[in-house]
Amino acid sequence: MARVPQENTADEKPPPVVAGPEDAGERLDRFLARRLAGLSRSRLKQLIEAGHVSAGGATLSDPSYRVKPGQIFQLVVPETVAAKPQGQAMDLAIVYEDEDLIVVDKPAGLVVHPAPGNHDLTLVNALIAHCGESLSGIGGERRPGIVHRLDKDTSGLIVAAKNDAAHRALAADFAARRIERLYQAVVWGIPVPRQCEIEGAIGRHPVDRKRMAVVRRGGKAALTHYRVLRVLGPGASLVECRLSTGRTHQIRVHLAAAGYPLLGDPVYGRETPERRARLSAAGRAALSGFHRQALHAGILGFSHPRTGAALHFESPLPADLHNLIKAL
């Protein structure tokens, strides 16, 4: 199967840039543009805002940051991918489809759209092959048809638009919080209280640019409602989450910040000996063979962008998550 052409195959890490006395007070993006050949100021501004510049181990995200003499800046330029993904035929679990949209039950392990490290074999590649040229350009060349996304290792329901009008309408509904999204998650411990909401702005982690975190400034407002559906012994619980906003890694970040991270989450749900000790022997064995965050997008509801009809879809728990819950 042909792979999507790549401009480069790994992140580029130019040599560190050291600020001298003559650079004091200069904007970070202007300073780097002057010192790094081949990168425009606008490109550097994008890289800074995306968290690809650090100094002293701390990530910088403000292009207007004022440089101080002696500071050492490190830039990481992420690998690039082809602007236009190619169609690749894949088996899709299509829940609903008409001339305006398609709803897919995404399996864990499937990336939604091409990005550094995942150039092809994504949901976008599959949708292009299935839907044809109608997707071209809708929502951007790299993410045609995509209105929202699920993490690679989150399973469940996702809707994509098949024309510009549908994309605009669905995007507006997501922005106005008119979409019903319900997730099921298995978390460490037993949340207290059993039903509550978690509110906290989410932004890039101040040190690790690949992670998100609840931040005091610079983040985007985020609100998650949760309730405990079932206590799975003293070590874990099955939790239902409803999203009022849709930030990157929102459920994972919010539950971890509250002290109840997801089982199987390698980024936010660190497994400790104390946590494992609270699980049954069967639960520990099942978790050893469970290689993703325990999160499933089980319900998706919205108004049809053309007819206004109420659409509601449900996806049962996949076998791996069902078996983990049973064992716990």
Side-chain angles (χ1 to χ4, degrees):
M1 183 176 291
R3 297 188 69 83
V4 177
Q6 305 171 21
E7 294 181 21
N8 54 287
T9 57
D11 289 357
E12 296 180 2
K13 196 172 183 179
V17 182
V18 182
E22 70 280 6
D23 303 311
E26 189 171 14
R27 280 177 59 107
L28 178 59
D29 55 354
R30 185 181 290 117
F31 164 73
L32 291 178
R34 188 164 48 79
R35 300 287 292 273
L36 294 172
L39 288 170
S40 67
R41 181 179 170 186
S42 61
R43 173 61 172 149
L44 285 163
K45 181 178 179 180
Q46 294 173 347
L47 291 170
I48 295 168
E49 291 175 339
H52 295 290
V53 175
S54 62
T59 299
L60 302 175
S61 59
D62 183 4
S64 66
Y65 175 86
R66 299 297 173 175
V67 172
K68 300 177 181 62
Q71 281 188 301
I72 302 175
F73 299 93
Q74 180 65 64
L75 169 68
V76 176
V77 182
E79 57 178 317
T80 56
V81 299
K84 295 184 178 181
Q86 305 299 307
Q88 294 174 302
M90 299 167 58
D91 289 332
L92 292 175
I94 299 174
V95 177
Y96 175 87
E97 182 178 11
D98 62 22
E99 61 182 324
D100 297 303
L101 58 91
I102 181 171
V103 178
V104 174
D105 196 344
K106 187 187 84 67
L110 179 62
V111 176
V112 170
H113 56 74
N118 296 102
H119 300 287
D120 61 356
L121 297 177
T122 69
L123 178 61
V124 159
N125 297 112
L127 289 175
I128 291 173
H130 178 80
C131 301
E133 291 300 317
S134 67
L135 282 182
S136 180
I138 302 169
E141 289 184 333
R142 289 191 182 182
R143 307 180 184 185
I146 300 302
V147 183
H148 66 125
R149 61 185 292 271
L150 296 176
D151 294 334
K152 173 184 176 181
D153 289 326
T154 297
S155 55
L157 298 167
I158 184 170
V159 59
K162 296 172 71 173
N163 55 61
D164 283 318
H167 190 277
R168 287 194 300 269
L170 288 170
D173 283 347
F174 270 94
R177 305 180 185 181
R178 292 190 290 262
I179 305 293
E180 179 187 18
R181 285 175 292 171
L182 186 147
Y183 295 72
Q184 287 180 302
V186 181
V187 304
W188 290 104
I190 304 172
V192 177
R194 298 292 182 92
Q195 182 170 339
C196 195
E197 62 182 36
I198 305 172
E199 186 172 13
I202 292 178
R204 289 285 174 185
H205 192 281
V207 175
D208 185 352
R209 65 182 178 85
K210 294 183 179 180
R211 298 177 59 194
M212 307 302 289
V214 173
V215 295
R216 292 185 177 181
R217 60 187 64 166
K220 295 182 179 180
L223 178 62
T224 303
H225 305 268
Y226 78 83
R227 69 184 180 99
V228 176
L229 296 177
R230 183 180 175 189
V231 174
L232 306 172
S237 303
L238 176 62
V239 174
E240 174 186 278
C241 296
R242 290 183 180 271
L243 293 181
S244 290
T245 54
R247 309 307 180 198
T248 301
H249 300 174
Q250 178 172 323
I251 291 175
R252 299 164 65 190
V253 171
H254 269 176
L255 288 175
Y260 310 103
L262 273 60
L263 271 69
D265 190 335
V267 179
Y268 305 103
R270 186 169 60 89
E271 183 177 316
T272 64
E274 292 78 14
R275 285 173 173 165
R276 280 188 64 86
R278 295 192 184 99
L279 303 181
S280 65
R284 290 194 295 271
L287 183 58
S288 296
F290 190 82
H291 304 298
R292 68 175 179 103
Q293 64 258 14
L295 184 61
H296 178 68
I299 291 179
L300 179 65
F302 54 90
S303 296
H304 192 282
R306 182 187 299 268
T307 68
L311 300 178
H312 180 88
F313 305 100
E314 296 189 17
S315 167
L317 288 173
D320 65 340
L321 193 50
H322 172 80
N323 292 335
L324 175 65
I325 293 170
K326 184 178 179 180
L328 289 168

